[in-house]
Amino acid sequence: MNIYDYIINDYKPDMGKRIRACRLESNLTQENMAEILDISVKHYSEVERGITGLSVEKLIYLSHLFDTSLDYLLKGNGEAASLPYILAEVYRSCPN
């Protein structure tokens, strides 16, 4: 297997684990996530298990939702979100 095949095929399981960890940290269910992303629960479950991926648009949305970088979600570089989703939402809703 060359490096291209590894990058294209093997990033999904690790990315799925990171997305799952962010979801659990935010106390969200797979059903919640599927609804938030407007996808089926089956598709979302396959994302977490590394069977399939998400569109760029949905990954960008997740990076905002979890207040983390795309680099972390895709490659594991950097750190996970510093605040769980619900706390980040409360913070964002505060007046300046």
Side-chain angles (χ1 to χ4, degrees), residues 7-48:
I7 292 169
I8 296 303
N9 296 315
D10 290 343
Y11 80 95
K12 291 176 189 167
D14 292 334
M15 180 186 70
K17 288 175 189 173
R18 287 187 290 275
I19 291 172
R20 180 179 188 273
C22 288
R23 173 182 65 80
L24 292 174
E25 180 71 25
S26 296
N27 294 315
L28 296 168
T29 65
Q30 286 190 344
E31 290 79 10
N32 297 141
M33 291 299 297
E35 185 176 332
I36 288 168
L37 294 171
D38 195 29
I39 59 177
S40 70
V41 175
K42 180 180 184 285
H43 183 175
Y44 183 77
S45 174
E46 290 174 350
V47 169
E48 282 194 1

Side-chain angles (χ1 to χ4, degrees), residues 1-2 6 10 14-15 18 44 52 69-70 78 90:
M1 176 183 294
N2 65 38
Y6 171 79
D10 290 343
D14 292 334
M15 180 186 70
R18 287 187 290 275
Y44 183 77
T52 190
S69 70
L70 281 172
V90 168

Side-chain angles (χ1 to χ4, degrees), residues 65-83:
L65 180 73
F66 295 131
D67 195 31
T68 194
S69 70
L70 281 172
D71 205 38
Y72 172 75
L73 290 177
L74 290 169
K75 300 186 298 183
N77 295 341
E79 296 181 16
S82 56
L83 292 174

